[in-house]
Amino acid sequence: DVKVTQSSRYLVKRTGEKVFLECVQDMDHENMFWYRQDPGLGLRLIYFSYDVKMKEKGDIPEGYSVSREKKERFSLILESASTNQTSMYLCAATSDFEQYFGPGTRLTVT
Amino acid sequence: AQRVTQPEKLLSVFKGAPVELKCNYSYSGSPELFWYVQYSRQRLQLLLRHISRESIKGFTADLNKGETSFHLKKPFAQEEDSAMYYCALRGGSNYKLTFGKGTLLTVNP
């Protein structure tokens, strides 16, 4: 069973702070994803990575960047957090048809 | 461009009643369709995919290419089916998924 873990379940940050969200998977999956989940908007893809040091923009990359230095770890970075980035952030990993999700990080930016 | 539409944000049924969660998609090629489910305080997980054509927890979904639909059905809803359901589409050879906005199903006793 693939395990996807995220560094924090809840996070509170101030406007303008740099925020790091970490995701780690314990299997050898090449593909990793970052989504944000908002009521009424569903899941929207921020960035994804199909290999170490490789990344592609998703549907809503503005205000975010990512880093993948090791296969098992995919980090989402908010360079300067803003209140409209308050959301639930989900990480996922896959090597086949099924995406395995982490428990999510609920980020509040005040 | 690919798009997934779930027309109902909320769906409420009584225990034992049939339930149908609607999903329509837009994609020019041959898509792969999925239903994901998120129970309260649990992580999002795959419920079923159209290729497998299997029934999971009593749920089935048939891909109708003519109507571009992939509706999720269960003949007799149970209270434990209460959850958020997302329809998702994968098009092409990459692993990206496009999700619908989700339907919150509540099964009342």
Side-chain angles (χ1 to χ4, degrees):
Chain A
D1 222 22
V2 177
K3 275 249 176 80
V4 180
T5 57
Q6 295 183 229
S7 50
S8 306
R9 291 301 304 270
Y10 300 94
L11 210 50
V12 180
K13 295 292 181 181
R14 296 209 170 157
T15 302
E17 279 194 82
K18 190 168 186 175
V19 182
F20 293 86
L21 303 182
E22 305 286 339
C23 175
V24 178
Q25 48 130 342
D26 68 355
M27 295 291 284
D28 206 27
H29 287 319
E30 292 88 5
N31 306 280
M32 297 187 74
F33 306 81
W34 274 107
Y35 298 91
R36 60 178 285 177
Q37 182 183 33
D38 299 288
L41 296 177
L43 273 76
R44 292 179 292 167
L45 182 63
I46 304 171
Y47 266 96
F48 68 101
S49 169
Y50 50 88
D51 204 347
V52 174
K53 296 191 187 297
M54 306 299 282
K55 61 186 179 185
E56 279 198 30
K57 293 180 180 179
D59 300 317
I60 52 163
E62 297 79 19
Y64 303 94
S65 62
V66 290
S67 171
R68 191 158 180 211
E69 296 296 319
K70 293 185 178 180
K71 194 171 189 177
E72 66 270 19
R73 188 179 297 270
F74 191 35
S75 303
L76 180 69
I77 304 155
L78 286 67
E79 296 289 342
S80 177
S82 64
T83 55
N84 62 14
Q85 293 177 310
T86 290
S87 185
M88 173 69 85
Y89 289 88
L90 300 182
C91 175
T94 186
S95 282
D96 53 24
F97 63 87
E98 180 171 358
Q99 288 200 8
Y100 299 91
F101 284 85
T105 295
R106 183 165 295 282
L107 172 68
T108 302
V109 183
T110 61
Chain B
Q2 52 198 53
R3 180 178 292 175
V4 176
T5 303
Q6 293 179 250
E8 304 133 331
K9 281 187 180 179
L10 304 169
L11 186 61
S12 183
V13 300
F14 285 102
K15 176 182 172 182
V19 63
E20 181 180 50
L21 291 87
K22 291 185 167 54
C23 172
N24 289 91
Y25 67 90
S26 172
Y27 182 66
S28 56
S30 284
E32 207 171 340
L33 274 296
F34 304 85
W35 278 99
Y36 278 78
V37 62
Q38 189 169 30
Y39 301 102
S40 180
R41 296 188 187 86
Q42 293 187 29
R43 60 185 69 194
L44 194 62
Q45 59 187 287
L46 177 66
L47 180 62
L48 53 79
R49 67 191 280 228
H50 88 270
I51 285 178
S52 62
R53 301 184 63 83
E54 57 188 346
S55 172
I56 304 291
K57 299 185 179 183
F59 284 98
T60 58
D62 290 317
L63 179 61
N64 186 322
K65 290 186 178 181
E67 295 183 359
T68 59
S69 68
F70 187 56
H71 303 326
L72 184 68
K73 301 176 185 178
K74 185 169 183 176
F76 308 104
Q78 303 300 312
E79 289 179 68
E80 55 266 29
D81 295 328
S82 295
M84 179 68 84
Y85 291 80
Y86 293 97
C87 183
L89 177 153
R90 189 173 103 183
S93 58
N94 63 44
Y95 293 93
K96 282 174 53 178
L97 290 178
T98 298
F99 284 87
K101 294 183 178 181
T103 298
L104 180 62
L105 173 66
T106 302
V107 181
N108 300 297

